[in-house]
């Protein structure tokens, strides 16, 4: 009998061990989350939004568009706080969320460490407000509009966002949830935003931005592919890859990437890179070693400090002397007549030589902005004599480029123009497939 008991124990132990091994070895079928990206031109400048699911109502998720901001310290959007929401208590077409109390550590963290810079127009934060029937103070925090730079007070909350999962090629019906602390801002705050955008989604390196709330098994890597047209969608991934675009359904976009280190800036949660020089054909424009080059999803065109801009214009104009000039158009000072579109083939590439020696090529599609039917302009802008950052690379230079912000090893992967590889950021297949 003793022998049989020992044998039974061994069999059970083996079964439990194999069960735990199988559980530990489980690898989910998705490698990333995925969301569509839309271009908007109905505001003061071109902007881009990402579509996120916000709440579950009547057996389906509601979708909302959030402005993509890779510099914002935290998420904020059009919503109201309710401490005891119940079915039917939230007004129609309104998102209701739970408040964070001013006595909670999240309130202190956002106010003191992960906040927007205090502007003269920002009201002082206080703990005087509460909600009807709720015995605690709310947590007012200041938010700054990336469009108008005006400051508004919002209330910190506990939020709930949902996105679809993907293996880089397909979008699954399975959902991935995140529960960040965000803030509810008044509806009037979004009057200057493009139509149907009523929030700012922070994708910065801040511990209060969305990437900080996207946990295992996802790798901490944000991939962004901005569309160049209003009629088609780009794509945003967060995870480890692979990433595929049609028609090259078997080519992982990571094979196109070159890399350079992401740098930290003491006054920003945004992303910065080192730039050594700007090369136009054989002419190199050297840059000071101490300058900062910022990446922005808010600035539409690359900004260059005046002395750098003047050098770029001088060299660029030398190599485009055969193209008929046109009168300058507001924002741009270097414009050309393009009655014959074929003439743009004479425009040289602009190569950004990075700190590690790798080259980010800005092709004609990302250097020349067609502003009218017959006029195209150099999409690099004079940023002034004493700007905050000497160089800011804007979204026109991002369009149809695949960018991977790897937050685990602090590197930026960049593809240069995908158009030269016979694809574009609008070629991801968003057709939903069955969950796993």
């Amino acid at each position: 009998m003793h022998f049989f008991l020992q044998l039974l124990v061994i069999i059970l132990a083996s079964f439990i061990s194999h069960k735990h091994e199988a559980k530990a070895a489980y690898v989910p079928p998705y490698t990333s989350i995925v969301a569509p990206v839309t271009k908007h031109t109905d505001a003061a400048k071109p902007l881009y939004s990402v579509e996120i699911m916000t709440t579950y109502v009547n057996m389906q998720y509601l979708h909302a568009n959030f402005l993509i901001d890779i510099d914002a310290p935290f998420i904020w959007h059009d919503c109201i706080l309710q401490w005891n929401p119940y079915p039917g208590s939230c007004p129609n077409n309104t998102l209701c969320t739970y408040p964070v109390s001013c006595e909670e550590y999240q309130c202190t963290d956002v106010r003191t460490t992960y906040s927007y810079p205090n502007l003269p127009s920002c009201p002082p934060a206080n703990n005087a407000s509460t909600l009807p029937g709720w015995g605690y103070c709310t947590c007012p925090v200041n938010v700054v509009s990336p469009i108008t730079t005006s400051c508004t007070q919002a209330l910190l909350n506990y939020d709930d966002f949902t996105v679809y999962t993907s293996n880089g090629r397909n979008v699954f019906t399975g959902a991935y949830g995140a529960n960040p602390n965000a803030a509810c801002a008044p509806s009037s705050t979004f009057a200057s935003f493009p139509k149907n955008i009523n929030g700012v989604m922070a994708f910065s390196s801040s511990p209060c931005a969305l990437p900080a709330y996207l946990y295992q098994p996802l790798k901490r890597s944000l991939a962004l592919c901005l569309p160049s047209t209003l009629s088609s969608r780009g794509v945003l991934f967060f995870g480890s890859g692979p990433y595929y675009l049609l028609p090259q359904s078997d080519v992982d976009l990571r094979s196109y990437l070159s890399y350079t280190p992401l740098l930290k800036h003491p006054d920003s949660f945004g992303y910065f890179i080192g730039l050594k020089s700007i090369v136009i054909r054989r002419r190199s424009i050297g840059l000071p070693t101490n300058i900062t080059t910022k990446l922005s999803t808010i600035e539409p065109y690359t900004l260059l400090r005046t002395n750098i801009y003047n050098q770029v214009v001088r060299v660029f104009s030398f190599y485009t002397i055969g193209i008929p000039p046109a009168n300058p158009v507001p924002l741009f000072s270097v414009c050309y007549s393009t009655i014959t579109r074929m003439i743009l083939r004479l425009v040289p590439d602009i190569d950004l030589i990075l700190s590690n020696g790798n080259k980010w090529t800005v092709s004609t599609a990302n250097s020349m902005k067609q502003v009218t039917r017959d006029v195209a302009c150099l999409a690099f802008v004079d940023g002034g004599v004493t700007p905050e950052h000497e160089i800011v690379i804007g979204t026109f230079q991002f369009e149809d480029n695949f960018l991977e912000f790897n937050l685990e090893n602090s590197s930026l992967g960049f593809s240069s123009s995908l158009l030269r590889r016979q694809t574009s950021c609008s070629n991801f297949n968003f057709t939903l497939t069955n969950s796993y």
Side-chain angles (χ1 to χ4, degrees):
M1 177 68 78
H2 181 68
F3 169 76
F4 285 110
L5 285 175
Q6 283 185 320
L7 183 61
L8 180 61
V9 169
I10 292 171
I11 293 171
L12 286 172
S14 177
F15 174 78
I16 293 171
S17 175
H18 282 298
K19 186 175 181 181
H20 279 286
E21 286 178 6
K23 185 176 181 180
Y26 172 73
V27 177
Y30 62 89
T31 56
S32 60
I33 62 169
V34 64
V37 172
T38 301
K39 181 176 181 177
H40 305 264
T41 57
D42 56 336
K45 52 188 172 184
L47 294 164
Y48 304 80
S49 69
V50 61
E51 184 179 295
I52 304 286
M53 292 176 280
T54 56
T55 189
Y56 197 66
V57 177
N58 296 329
M59 302 299 292
Q60 64 180 359
Y61 282 103
L62 300 183
H63 295 248
N65 294 316
F66 293 82
L67 189 70
I68 296 173
D69 192 343
I70 60 174
D71 192 51
F74 59 85
I75 305 160
W76 51 283
H77 58 120
D78 188 359
C79 55
I80 63 172
L81 298 184
Q82 285 191 335
W83 68 272
N84 61 344
Y86 55 87
S89 66
C90 188
N92 290 334
N93 302 317
T94 304
L95 180 62
C96 295
T97 63
Y98 294 88
V100 171
S101 165
C102 68
E103 299 175 356
E104 297 180 77
Y105 76 90
Q106 293 96 331
C107 182
T108 302
D109 282 352
V110 170
R111 279 181 175 177
T112 60
T113 309
Y114 311 122
S115 63
Y116 281 85
N118 280 324
L119 302 177
S121 60
C122 290
N126 61 67
N127 300 332
S129 61
T130 186
L131 299 176
W134 194 51
Y136 304 94
C137 51
T138 54
C139 179
V141 293
N142 289 324
V143 297
V144 177
S145 168
I147 301 173
T148 63
T149 68
S150 59
C151 190
T152 306
Q153 204 158 78
L155 297 178
L156 200 65
N157 65 38
Y158 293 101
D159 231 315
D160 185 11
F161 298 119
T162 304
V163 285
Y164 288 119
T165 56
S166 174
N167 61 359
R169 181 180 283 110
N170 304 109
V171 183
F172 300 126
T173 54
Y176 183 103
N179 304 101
N181 289 122
C184 291
S187 299
S188 58
T189 308
F190 304 96
S192 61
F193 281 50
K195 185 179 179 181
N196 297 326
I197 294 183
N198 53 6
V200 172
M201 188 58 65
F203 286 106
S204 68
S205 62
S206 166
C208 291
L210 185 63
Y213 295 90
L214 302 175
Y215 299 110
Q216 295 296 333
L218 298 177
K219 179 182 175 183
R220 295 183 62 246
S221 186
L222 170 70
L224 188 61
C225 207
L226 298 183
S228 56
T229 65
L230 305 180
S231 58
S232 52
R233 300 182 296 180
V235 59
L236 180 148
F237 295 99
F238 189 91
S240 61
Y243 314 109
Y244 300 96
L245 294 176
L246 298 173
Q248 298 140 346
S249 56
D250 293 325
V251 178
D252 183 354
L253 291 175
R254 292 177 300 178
S255 67
Y256 295 157
L257 301 182
S258 299
Y259 293 88
T260 194
L262 282 172
L263 308 177
K264 294 186 182 298
H265 191 281
D267 300 320
S268 174
F269 291 111
Y271 302 109
F272 298 79
I273 57 175
L275 196 58
K276 290 198 303 185
S277 62
I278 300 172
V279 176
I280 303 173
R281 292 212 175 129
R282 292 172 296 279
R283 297 279 293 275
S284 178
I285 300 163
L287 301 173
T289 57
N290 61 342
I291 71 168
T292 58
T293 298
K294 182 178 181 178
L295 305 172
S296 173
T297 52
I298 301 301
E299 291 298 337
Y301 309 104
T302 290
L303 301 173
L304 302 173
R305 192 175 65 191
T306 298
N307 64 324
I308 301 172
Y309 176 78
N310 289 340
Q311 293 181 73
V312 168
V313 167
R314 189 178 305 116
V315 175
F316 189 82
S317 298
F318 175 82
Y319 285 111
T320 55
I321 198 167
I323 304 178
N327 292 328
V329 176
L331 273 186
F332 310 111
S333 62
V334 180
C335 298
Y336 300 93
S337 173
T338 55
I339 296 175
T340 303
R341 296 292 179 89
M342 298 288 286
I343 206 165
L344 287 178
R345 291 188 176 184
L346 300 175
V347 173
D349 289 342
I350 299 175
D351 293 326
L352 308 180
I353 309 302
L354 303 167
S355 58
N356 62 348
N358 284 337
K359 178 177 66 176
W360 182 350
T361 296
V362 181
S363 65
T364 305
N366 297 108
S367 67
M368 299 299 295
K369 169 68 175 176
Q370 196 74 41
V371 293
T372 70
R373 180 179 176 182
D374 299 329
V375 174
C377 299
L378 177 64
F380 285 67
V381 177
D382 188 344
V385 177
T386 57
E388 181 181 6
H389 305 288
E390 290 86 348
I391 300 176
V392 180
I393 302 179
T395 52
F396 188 75
Q397 281 67 48
F398 290 173
E399 289 183 348
D400 290 320
N401 284 236
F402 193 79
L403 303 178
E404 183 186 50
F405 299 83
N406 190 316
L407 307 183
E408 293 195 353
N409 63 17
S410 295
S411 67
L412 172 73
F414 54 93
S415 67
S416 297
S417 179
L418 295 172
L419 301 179
R420 290 184 171 178
R421 298 184 182 272
Q422 288 71 56
T423 189
S424 75
C425 288
S426 301
N427 281 4
F428 183 72
N429 180 13
F430 277 103
T431 303
L432 283 174
T433 62
N434 290 333
S435 177
Y436 318 144

